[in-house]
Amino acid sequence: KYGERVLLDEVSFMISPKERIGLIGRNGAGKSTLLKIIASESRPDSGFLEFPSKTTIGYLRQEFELNETRILLDEAMSCHEEAFLIQNQLDAINLELGERQDFESDSYARLLEDLSSLTGRLEHFNYATLEVETRKILKGLGFTDLDFARKVSEFSGGWKMRIELAKLLLRNPELLMLDEPTNHLDLRSKDVLKDALLAFDGTLILVSHDRDFLQGLAEKVFEFKDKRVLEHFESIDDFLVRNRMESLKEIEKRG
């Protein structure tokens, strides 16, 4: 709740791996709040969430922050910061090992242990292919080779959203959540975004009022109504037909 206003009450549901869910409901019904709770950016006043251990989550907000002074490729590559940090640590250890002669000492043995541990962690990132994969994802979202050297500040809002999405996809999350991702996008941009999400292999949760965009993406509907979340095992089209609606915007009118 916010102050005395109860937004969501006695909400309970389970999401299975690789489900694709559309969240629909009036503005202010709690859709964005629920995403923030799942992403651990907000806490419920009561109740709890359970995830499999080490579940990775990507969350595309309606507002996002990018480093406007970076060029596109560098900003996209910034999502690999942990991998770069590990590589720097490995470089420092290898340099120190090359200068050491106390091969039988405990500190030398600890360095070798650190080297082995960090090497294993870096293999998880497939470090050698990070830039290749970054370029591939960016091109899949409509960027060209000429764009890679342009500053982030030169791109429009819709293109900046694609940059943020690329960073999320490159982290390869198990759960990807997007909050009104088609705002301010033209038809071509929506198609590019939709194709990227169709290719995504994890669990997908979308907040959107765009029926065309959700078609084929959302296989299940969570309807936010009267402080509850109603679970519908049907597509967006089936939901609208059953409720005799032409578009999701009618939800605002019906209350």
Side-chain angles (χ1 to χ4, degrees), residues 30-48:
K31 302 184 296 297
S32 296
T33 296
L34 183 63
L35 293 191
K36 289 177 182 177
I37 290 173
I38 294 174
S40 298
E41 293 189 1
S42 294
R43 296 176 62 87
D45 293 281
S46 63
F48 59 91

Side-chain angles (χ1 to χ4, degrees), residues 55-223:
T55 299
T56 52
I57 299 175
Y59 176 29
L60 183 68
R61 305 161 185 79
Q62 291 190 45
E63 303 86 22
F64 41 83
E65 294 182 6
L66 298 170
N67 188 327
E68 301 273 336
T69 63
R70 284 185 180 142
I71 62 171
L72 167 62
L73 185 59
D74 288 347
E75 177 61 20
M77 291 282 287
S78 70
C79 72
H80 304 306
E81 184 177 0
E82 184 179 355
F84 295 140
L85 178 60
I86 293 172
Q87 182 62 59
N88 289 338
Q89 291 174 315
L90 282 172
D91 291 343
I93 289 174
N94 281 317
L95 181 62
E96 184 174 351
L97 288 173
E99 297 172 347
R100 297 276 290 264
Q101 299 296 322
D102 54 331
F103 307 121
E104 304 299 324
S105 69
D106 290 341
S107 61
Y108 193 89
R110 284 195 295 271
L111 275 178
L112 291 178
E113 290 176 2
D114 290 342
L115 181 69
S116 176
S117 174
L118 290 169
T119 300
R121 287 174 60 192
L122 193 62
E123 288 176 355
H124 167 74
F125 292 97
N126 203 1
Y127 187 82
T129 65
L130 289 183
E131 182 171 337
V132 172
E133 187 63 20
T134 300
R135 288 176 177 269
K136 178 182 175 182
I137 291 290
L138 287 172
K139 286 186 175 181
L141 290 171
F143 293 99
T144 67
D145 287 325
L146 294 176
D147 289 326
F148 293 156
R150 293 174 58 193
K151 285 189 175 182
V152 172
S153 59
E154 297 178 24
F155 294 96
S156 67
W159 285 96
K160 288 177 182 176
M161 185 277 294
R162 296 193 205 186
I163 299 173
E164 186 67 16
L165 179 60
K167 291 166 65 176
L168 292 178
L169 293 174
L170 284 162
R171 293 188 182 103
N172 196 26
E174 292 160 289
L175 168 61
L176 180 60
M177 305 189 298
L178 295 88
D179 194 352
E180 297 287 2
T182 60
N183 282 354
H184 315 301
L185 295 186
D186 57 28
L187 290 176
R188 170 59 183 156
S189 296
K190 288 181 184 180
D191 288 342
V192 170
L193 174 59
K194 188 170 183 176
D195 287 343
L197 295 178
L198 286 169
F200 176 66
D201 192 40
T203 306
L204 182 64
I205 302 178
L206 293 162
V207 175
S208 180
H209 288 91
D210 190 326
R211 173 181 183 170
D212 292 337
F213 181 73
L214 289 175
Q215 283 176 330
L217 276 179
E219 301 163 347
K220 187 176 179 181
V221 176
F222 280 3
E223 180 187 10

